[in-house]
Amino acid sequence: MKHNALVVANWKLNPIGFDEAKNLLTELKKKLKKVNSTTIVVTPPFLFISDFSKSLKGGEIKLGAQDVFYEEIGPFTGEISAGQLVGFGVSHVIVGHSERRALGETDEQVNKKIQAIIKRRMTPIVCIGEKNRDEQGTFFNDIEAQIKGLAKGLLAKDIVKVVIAYEPIWAIGTGKTATVEDVKEMQLFIVSTLTKLYDRKTAEKVTLLYGGSVKASIAKELYEQGGMSGFLVGGASLNANEFSGIVNATIS
Ligand code: PEP
């Protein structure tokens, strides 16, 4: 089942400074007017969220965050809570990105973060993906384990609020986009795994995205044939023309 399209810009640790960030946002706002049928989310570095929350207020682009901590308050140096993010108008939060998992984030922490985000009525965008692909398809076991980990303790009414972004690690930032066939196959696999954990109707309500070297030139084909409801975009989201091209590919 296709959902309303969702395209998320993951700016990561970019751009270099606040002025550049503001310029990029201004360009995006100019290019992405009246795109009602697709939800667009920009996730800048935390430091820019306060300013962006004012400039995006009431507009078409929604504000997201790249991570969150699962506790609400207390002695957790350097962390930011879901309650603090929601106070700045953040609507979507990425968790479990492979770049954070590489720094030690576990499935258990990802699960706790999802629960904290849902409690604050924001949308978690949970990244899953295999490091490598093997001929035998054993990487599907890793994907299944990640889905079980993120869904642990979540009732059907909660899992349908989660966005799952399939981001094969070998495709992130490498220029090697997954093929339409690979993406479609993974969409079916994720739905069937969720069906085993819940039921078909619930599984089909979960919004699925693809991420990994998405470019404007291939976005339409991927969107129309890959079975996913949109994209999580890294590198190409730092270029207003590329990113708006990707958003436009989701508009029929
Ligand atoms: C990402 O890091 O979420 C991502 C998809 O990056 P890129 O588009 O640069 O591969």
Side-chain angles (χ1 to χ4, degrees):
M1 187 176 90
K2 275 253 189 200
H3 299 254
N4 286 342
L6 171 65
V7 181
V8 182
N10 176 13
W11 284 9
K12 312 190 189 196
L13 183 49
N14 295 293
I16 190 87
F18 184 49
D19 289 343
E20 291 86 344
K22 280 184 80 124
N23 290 342
L24 178 56
L25 189 67
T26 305
E27 265 191 86
L28 286 176
K29 278 163 73 178
K30 267 194 228 144
K31 289 196 184 296
L32 294 170
K33 279 189 185 138
K34 303 202 176 70
V35 189
N36 304 327
S37 58
T38 294
T39 301
I40 306 158
V41 181
V42 169
T43 69
F46 282 128
L47 268 179
F48 307 151
I49 281 182
S50 169
D51 182 86
F52 277 28
S53 101
K54 289 176 213 131
S55 50
L56 292 176
K57 206 168 186 172
E60 257 140 18
I61 301 176
K62 290 184 184 293
L63 182 58
Q66 297 174 20
D67 190 22
V68 68
F69 191 55
Y70 45 81
E71 298 289 351
E72 276 280 301
I73 189 166
F76 305 104
T77 304
E79 299 294 359
I80 288 175
S81 73
Q84 288 168 338
L85 291 178
V86 88
F88 283 95
V90 167
S91 58
H92 294 68
V93 185
I94 298 171
V95 293
H97 192 282
S98 57
E99 288 156 12
R100 297 224 60 88
R101 291 185 193 256
L103 293 173
E105 187 166 81
T106 63
D107 280 342
E108 196 190 345
Q109 288 168 336
V110 169
N111 180 269
K112 281 159 102 175
K113 290 179 179 189
I114 293 169
Q115 305 210 28
I117 295 163
I118 291 177
K119 207 163 145 202
R120 286 296 187 164
R121 296 177 195 281
M122 296 181 290
T123 301
I125 300 167
V126 191
C127 304
I128 60 172
E130 75 281 1
K131 269 203 189 80
N132 298 301
R133 288 195 157 216
D134 54 326
E135 297 268 304
Q136 298 72 32
T138 50
F139 62 91
F140 281 111
N141 299 338
D142 299 341
I143 301 292
E144 188 173 359
Q146 286 174 3
I147 295 172
K148 283 187 177 156
L150 75 87
K152 203 167 176 194
L154 295 190
L155 301 173
K157 74 173 177 47
D158 293 324
I159 195 75
V160 297
K161 295 174 188 155
V162 173
V163 173
I164 297 179
Y166 168 58
E167 295 212 308
I169 298 169
W170 50 266
I172 295 181
T174 58
K176 288 187 211 146
T177 320
T179 63
V180 168
E181 293 75 26
D182 290 343
V183 174
K184 181 67 198 166
E185 183 182 41
M186 192 54 79
Q187 181 247 332
L188 295 173
F189 181 76
I190 296 169
V191 173
S192 99
T193 305
L194 288 170
T195 301
K196 279 190 232 150
L197 294 175
Y198 299 92
D199 56 76
R200 182 98 199 161
K201 228 170 126 190
T202 303
E204 286 183 344
K205 282 188 188 153
V206 178
T207 299
L208 305 182
L209 305 181
Y210 168 75
S213 297
V214 176
K215 309 172 211 48
S217 56
I218 47 167
K220 198 156 186 71
E221 192 191 355
L222 268 179
Y223 180 69
E224 286 176 354
Q225 296 169 40
M228 305 288 192
S229 297
F231 302 110
L232 178 51
V233 187
S237 72
L238 298 169
N239 177 308
N241 280 333
E242 269 294 310
F243 187 66
S244 55
I246 293 168
V247 171
N248 287 332
T250 65
I251 301 168
S252 44

